[in-house]
Amino acid sequence: MKYFSTINGKWVMLLSVTGVLVVICAKFYFIPQVDRFLEMSIEFDMKQNMIAFEKIIHIVANIADGDEAVVRKALLQIGEDPDIPVTLRRSKSITLQYGNAPTRNPENSMEEEVLKTGIPLLNKTEKEFEYIYPLRVIEVCQECHLAENGKEEIPLGYVLGLAVSTVPLSKLHDSKLFFFVKDLFVTNTMMVGLLLIGTYMGLQFIVIHPLRRVREQLKQRAESNDDELEIVSHDNEIEDIESYLDELFLLHYADNRVSENTENKP
């Protein structure tokens, strides 16, 4: 423990504590923030894909020009195509109009919530990201669909169904952005390490070594008067220097008093 009472020891301890804090910040703050940022980028991409998918449905509905069979056939083919990573869910209105289809019913409380609120949600599971996007009624939808009572015109903005898309979690770490952020983190960590090492070397050259030389010189002067001085060695360079200076000052003061008394004698 004596070593850590020296300036050099205190600086090494400061470097060690700083290094530990950097690691803790990286583990519990930086890395989670990076993951969250990547999740937000994936969510943005999934949302944009869903907006594009919804526009395709609207285009199909407009081209069909009121032909309900054409739109239904297109949607069924989209739902059954394994190369299109989107699953369609039905609202209560669609179920009442075309009958119950178990594979098209909402599968969990989050999907039911999106049907109710019309707010898209990103659900993260152990294996994948699931984006639930509401498909709202526009004017062209009113040509074929009715309200839940089966009589009135379906209102604009009503959530007619859901488009559910999934992306495996592995895509999070396959992203080029992940490698960029990772490289940036490693580079910054190395720069912090080099900065600490450079500061340590500078402190050694500018402060610690000069202090040691001053201490040795004062120690030598104090030891040359060891018959008159009570030399106490400390573990800290500063305390040693203060002690030597105090002892030398007292010696010098005593010598001056003796000289003055000698000169004043008749």
Side-chain angles (χ1 to χ4, degrees):
M1 296 299 293
K2 291 182 178 180
Y3 173 74
F4 291 106
S5 64
T6 65
I7 295 178
N8 196 52
K10 289 178 179 178
W11 182 243
V12 170
M13 184 168 62
L14 178 62
L15 287 177
S16 301
V17 171
T18 303
V20 171
L21 289 176
V22 169
V23 173
I24 291 175
C25 289
K27 180 175 178 60
F28 295 103
Y29 177 76
F30 184 80
I31 293 177
Q33 289 297 320
V34 169
D35 287 342
R36 176 57 185 153
F37 176 74
L38 292 173
E39 288 177 13
M40 290 174 63
S41 67
I42 289 177
E43 180 179 6
F44 176 79
D45 289 341
M46 295 178 78
K47 182 177 180 179
Q48 294 303 114
N49 290 337
M50 284 299 190
I51 292 174
F53 177 76
E54 185 179 34
K55 288 182 179 179
I56 291 173
I57 294 177
H58 293 165
I59 291 172
V60 170
N62 279 298
I63 292 175
D65 194 22
D67 191 338
E68 182 180 342
V70 173
V71 178
R72 289 198 65 193
K73 183 178 180 180
L75 291 178
L76 287 173
Q77 288 181 341
I78 289 174
E80 294 173 357
D81 191 334
D83 293 328
I84 300 177
V86 177
T87 302
L88 298 175
R89 302 279 189 247
R90 290 181 173 183
S91 66
K92 185 177 180 181
S93 173
I94 298 292
T95 300
L96 292 173
Q97 188 172 355
Y98 299 110
N100 186 33
T103 59
R104 294 289 182 261
N105 293 334
E107 290 189 346
N108 52 54
S109 59
M110 294 188 68
E111 292 183 0
E112 291 177 355
E113 181 181 351
V114 176
L115 273 175
K116 184 183 298 183
T117 63
I119 300 174
L121 287 176
L122 178 70
N123 180 32
K124 180 181 178 182
T125 66
E126 295 181 355
K127 297 181 179 180
E128 60 188 11
F129 293 102
E130 181 186 52
Y131 192 75
I132 309 169
Y133 185 81
L135 301 173
R136 294 178 176 275
V137 171
I138 61 173
E139 290 182 1
V140 69
C141 303
Q142 294 176 323
E143 296 178 9
C144 301
H145 299 291
L146 298 173
E148 293 182 3
N149 59 17
K151 298 178 182 180
E152 299 176 359
E153 184 179 70
I154 194 166
L156 294 174
Y158 175 85
V159 180
L160 197 57
L162 301 176
V164 182
S165 175
T166 58
V167 171
L169 282 178
S170 59
K171 187 175 180 181
L172 188 68
H173 294 154
D174 291 340
S175 170
K176 293 180 180 179
L177 184 61
F178 173 79
F179 289 103
F180 169 75
V181 174
K182 183 180 178 180
D183 289 342
L184 185 64
F185 168 69
V186 172
T187 302
N188 287 338
T189 302
M190 290 177 62
M191 290 179 64
V192 170
L194 291 173
L195 179 63
L196 292 175
I197 293 173
T199 305
Y200 174 74
M201 299 301 294
L203 183 70
Q204 289 280 338
F205 180 75
I206 297 173
V207 179
I208 295 178
H209 289 314
L211 277 178
R212 286 175 176 172
R213 288 196 296 270
V214 170
R215 182 178 65 174
E216 290 301 319
Q217 291 175 4
L218 290 175
K219 183 178 180 181
Q220 290 175 6
R221 291 194 62 183
E223 288 176 345
S224 65
N225 298 280
D226 57 359
D227 55 332
E228 301 178 53
L229 297 177
E230 182 180 352
I231 300 174
V232 180
S233 180
H234 302 84
D235 297 323
N236 187 292
E237 296 93 334
I238 300 297
E239 292 180 356
D240 275 347
I241 292 173
E242 290 178 347
S243 177
Y244 295 150
L245 287 175
D246 288 343
E247 295 294 342
L248 290 172
F249 174 78
L250 291 175
L251 177 62
H252 179 72
Y253 179 75
D255 288 344
N256 286 343
R257 290 296 301 271
V258 170
S259 176
E260 290 176 1
N261 291 337
T262 303
E263 291 177 357
N264 291 333
K265 286 183 179 180

